[in-house]
């Protein structure tokens, strides 16, 4: 079941261009170091980024449940995901509304953290070691 859920995460990533509005994909593929951000619908971008984060979070929490079967793991993980979501979305909104040309490295990494299920790669080993201790 966990492998199937990891497959879902891979499918979300594979079909991201078709499923989500994200004009920054092409922007970050190009040499963006001196460019201003492209014209975009900021509200639509924030909502699509939040939706993608939520999908990844629900699948990730399901993986954690399958692997550990403990409510405490899900509770603390949910809290961590919520805190990360709030902080990263605030930073994301500030960064996409920045008018400065170039210097978009912070936006690149904040966006990457929001759209990729990176957090699960930290939580699985953390809970595994905690379980063994």
């Amino acid at each position: 079941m966990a492998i199937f859920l990891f497959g879902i995460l891979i499918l979300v990533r594979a079909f991201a261009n078709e499923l989500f509005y994200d004009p920054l994909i092409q922007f970050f593929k190009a040499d963006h170091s001196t460019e201003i951000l492209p014209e975009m619908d900021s509200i639509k971008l924030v909502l699509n980024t939040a939706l993608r984060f939520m999908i990844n979070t629900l699948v990730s929490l399901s993986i954690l449940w399958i692997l550990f079967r403990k409510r405490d793991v899900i509770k603390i993980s949910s809290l961590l995901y919520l805190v990360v979501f709030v902080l990263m979305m605030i930073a994301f909104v500030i960064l996409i509304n920045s008018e400065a040309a170039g210097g978009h490295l912070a936006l690149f990494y904040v966006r990457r953290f929001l759209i990729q299920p990176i957090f699960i790669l930290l939580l699985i080993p953390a809970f595994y070691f905690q379980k063994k201790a």
Side-chain angles (χ1 to χ4, degrees), residues 9-22 25 44-60 81 85 89 111-117:
L9 291 175
I10 292 168
L11 287 173
V12 169
R13 170 73 173 104
F15 292 102
N17 291 342
E18 292 82 16
L19 296 172
F20 305 104
Y21 172 77
D22 192 351
I25 290 173
K44 190 174 180 181
L45 176 62
V46 168
L47 291 174
N48 275 263
T49 302
L51 175 62
R52 189 165 172 186
F53 184 87
M54 293 302 161
I55 291 169
N56 287 335
T57 298
L58 290 173
V59 174
S60 296
Y81 272 105
F85 176 73
M89 283 306 285
R111 179 185 154 276
R112 178 71 47 176
F113 198 88
L114 284 167
I115 66 172
Q116 301 297 336

Side-chain angles (χ1 to χ4, degrees), residues 96-114:
I96 63 171
N97 289 313
S98 170
E99 297 293 327
H104 300 298
L105 197 57
L107 175 61
F108 175 80
Y109 286 114
V110 167
R111 179 185 154 276
R112 178 71 47 176
F113 198 88
L114 284 167

Side-chain angles (χ1 to χ4, degrees), residues 42-96:
S42 296
I43 294 171
K44 190 174 180 181
L45 176 62
V46 168
L47 291 174
N48 275 263
T49 302
L51 175 62
R52 189 165 172 186
F53 184 87
M54 293 302 161
I55 291 169
N56 287 335
T57 298
L58 290 173
V59 174
S60 296
L61 290 173
S62 298
I63 291 169
L64 290 171
W65 176 253
I66 295 296
L67 294 177
F68 298 102
R69 303 251 184 219
K70 289 189 175 184
R71 282 198 167 138
D72 290 342
V73 167
I74 301 306
K75 285 180 186 178
I76 190 69
S77 298
S78 298
L79 180 62
L80 289 170
Y81 272 105
L82 178 63
V83 169
V84 165
F85 176 73
V86 170
L87 294 175
M88 290 290 181
M89 283 306 285
I90 290 169
F92 185 65
V93 169
I94 291 168
L95 291 167
I96 63 171

Side-chain angles (χ1 to χ4, degrees), residues 1 4 8 10 24 30 40-41 45-46 56 58 85 107 111 119-120 132:
M1 189 59 156
F4 172 75
I8 301 251
I10 292 168
L24 296 176
M40 63 186 141
D41 183 345
L45 176 62
V46 168
N56 287 335
L58 290 173
F85 176 73
L107 175 61
R111 179 185 154 276
F119 212 38
I120 190 75
K132 290 292 183 186

